[in-house]
Amino acid sequence: MSSRNEPYIQFIDLNRRKIVKQIEVHQSGGYGIAATNDSIVVGTKTEIQVLDRNGNFKRTVRLKHGQGPIGYISVGLNGNIYYSNIDEVYCITSDGYSFFSYSSPGLRGPRKIHDAKNVYISGLYSQNIHQITSTGRFVDILLEDNISEPFGLCFSKDFSTVYIANRNEKLINNRKENCSRLEEKEKNILKEIATIKQNASSRFESSKDTLLKQVSELKGKYEAGIKRQEKDLGDLVTATKSVQEELAFVRDYGSDQQAFVSIHSSKPVLDEMEYKIEQLIESFEDASLVKIYFCDEYDIYQSSIKSPYEPWDVAAIPETNMAVISGRKNPYIQFLDIERRMVTKKVKLDQTGSGGIGVTKDNIYITIKHKIQVLDLNGKLKRTISLNQEQNINWYISVCPNGNICYSNENAVHCITTDGCPMFSYASSDIRYARNTITDDVGNIYVLDYYSRNIHKISSTGTLVDKIFNDRLSGPLVFCFSKDLSKLYIANGFGTKISVFTTS
């Protein structure tokens, strides 16, 4: 098979119905092609190339000036080569010597040439077939049927049937209808895109207004705090100056007994001043010190402790009073004593910035860029699990009851074995920014999505079971269940609050 726009011929296996190889011809743009028992003849712009049956070049047949380019080509039973150009048909010997040429006012745009004992030529614009002898003598005009633009023809082996490739009006009409449908579809798609853009713009404006409102509220709180601090400092300065003046007067003009009474009566005032100074010092502490909060089983706040590192994820170690905290911007994990409410130690990791953290009774799992590090319960590195390149951004991690590891990377949740072998990947149109994943005792996996603001419950094999939450919370970041699964906790408001829901 030849091509008009590519410098290749292709070999087709008719039984297997597939292209098995392609061969580059010496001149760009293969035109007509014909085959004999031992050769392949290919027409190009100004010459005819003769190849063997495997497509290897054998020789070139040069054409006289003005006889190219070659439209279609055929090889006669006597070995002569017939080819057409714009308005004429030529016959040459296999060595390139001219034998005859044929043209007729009734043959315009000669296309496909087919040879038997006679030569048959289809005219593109004359819309008929001319029959001539092998010596170039006109015999007859066949099929004066006003065939619409015949492009090519061939006969069956016994010459009982002729096949003509032509311009089919029905196909043309179908093509026009298809084009119209495609145009209509394109308009609908563009409308949908415009709607999506409008919705996205509206959501962006809404989110922007919400964020600006929150920033304004925080700014108002900080400004009010600063004003309150200025007032407290002014009151302290005034109280201190008053006590100082009183003590100085007693010292200069009073008796020892009066000095003792004055100092003793000033003690409550000094204690109050000391308390206010402590409050001010605490309010001026470095804002980079974040806090870890403790609540009781009734969700009532109990206390908080300061942390020098910004936490990212936390996981309790089973059957102990300890938990482990990861950070995303620092190379440490911290061990937290829940009962004593204090950080007991920190362990530095090999790579800056840990991500999600998961814990079993034997191991600690930390996500670091495109790897998962496995530590013992003392924080010592045991081994490393490498992830696939396309899964290299991982946020949160959880360990299933069967030991498999689940982790999220933006728009999907992946599950692997402890050796790193992939088990499944779960993706959905509702999962556009997957946050943390958790598992229950029977192996179900739950994943929270930031944008769709719902929780997908999937089975241990990666199929969707249910969507269990859709409350349109603003900026949900992470979630967890209570031990008995009766409560659902979701950190939302971009990390400013925790919402508690009862489960059914």
Side-chain angles (χ1 to χ4, degrees), residues 8-233:
Y8 299 100
I9 61 171
Q10 297 177 307
F11 289 75
I12 303 173
D13 188 321
L14 299 178
N15 291 329
R16 294 159 60 195
R17 299 181 183 179
K18 63 180 293 186
I19 295 173
V20 293
K21 68 175 178 178
Q22 68 178 18
I23 301 294
E24 186 173 1
V25 293
H26 288 186
Q27 190 167 348
S28 178
Y31 284 63
I33 190 168
T36 66
N37 289 334
D38 55 4
S39 297
I40 299 170
V41 182
V42 181
T44 64
K45 290 183 178 179
T46 60
E47 64 187 22
I48 294 173
Q49 293 184 11
V50 182
L51 318 175
D52 64 19
R53 294 179 63 176
N54 294 315
N56 298 314
F57 178 76
K58 292 171 66 176
R59 60 191 175 88
T60 298
V61 179
R62 301 286 180 183
L63 305 180
K64 290 183 178 180
H65 179 71
Q67 294 184 0
I70 295 173
Y72 289 88
I73 193 168
S74 179
V75 181
L77 296 177
N78 57 8
N80 289 343
I81 300 171
Y82 304 90
Y83 65 91
S84 64
N85 65 6
I86 297 173
D87 57 6
E88 198 162 358
V89 175
Y90 298 92
C91 176
I92 61 174
T93 66
S94 59
D95 297 325
Y97 294 103
S98 295
F99 192 62
F100 70 81
S101 63
Y102 174 80
S103 62
S104 168
L107 180 67
R108 291 179 296 136
R111 304 293 287 180
K112 185 69 175 176
I113 306 165
H114 190 86
D115 174 79
K117 291 182 179 179
N118 295 302
V119 180
Y120 300 86
I121 311 159
S122 64
L124 176 64
Y125 303 113
S126 54
Q127 301 179 356
N128 53 27
I129 297 174
H130 283 222
Q131 178 186 2
I132 63 175
T133 66
S134 59
T135 59
R137 183 173 58 84
F138 172 77
V139 177
D140 198 2
I141 294 178
L142 309 178
L143 227 69
E144 287 189 279
D145 201 2
N146 287 327
I147 302 168
S148 178
E149 297 186 14
F151 284 89
L153 81 153
C154 68
F155 289 94
S156 58
K157 286 185 179 181
D158 60 0
F159 279 81
S160 63
T161 308
V162 62
Y163 301 90
I164 300 175
N166 69 302
R167 180 185 174 96
N168 190 301
E169 293 300 329
K170 184 176 180 181
L171 291 176
I172 293 170
N173 292 335
N174 288 343
R175 185 178 65 181
K176 289 179 179 177
E177 290 175 6
N178 289 335
C179 288
S180 298
R181 281 198 296 268
L182 287 174
E183 288 176 0
E184 187 64 29
K185 234 175 204 181
E186 183 183 13
K187 289 179 183 176
N188 292 335
I189 290 171
L190 291 175
K191 284 181 182 178
E192 289 178 8
I193 291 173
T195 302
I196 291 170
K197 287 173 67 176
Q198 182 62 37
N199 292 340
S201 177
S202 299
R203 283 188 63 183
F204 173 77
E205 291 298 327
S206 176
S207 298
K208 184 178 76 172
D209 293 341
T210 302
L211 288 173
L212 288 174
K213 182 180 178 182
Q214 290 177 348
V215 169
S216 177
E217 289 175 354
L218 289 174
K219 181 182 177 183
K221 288 180 182 178
Y222 285 131
E223 289 178 346
I226 290 171
K227 289 180 180 179
R228 186 173 62 252
Q229 289 168 355
E230 290 176 347
K231 181 179 181 301
D232 291 342
L233 280 173

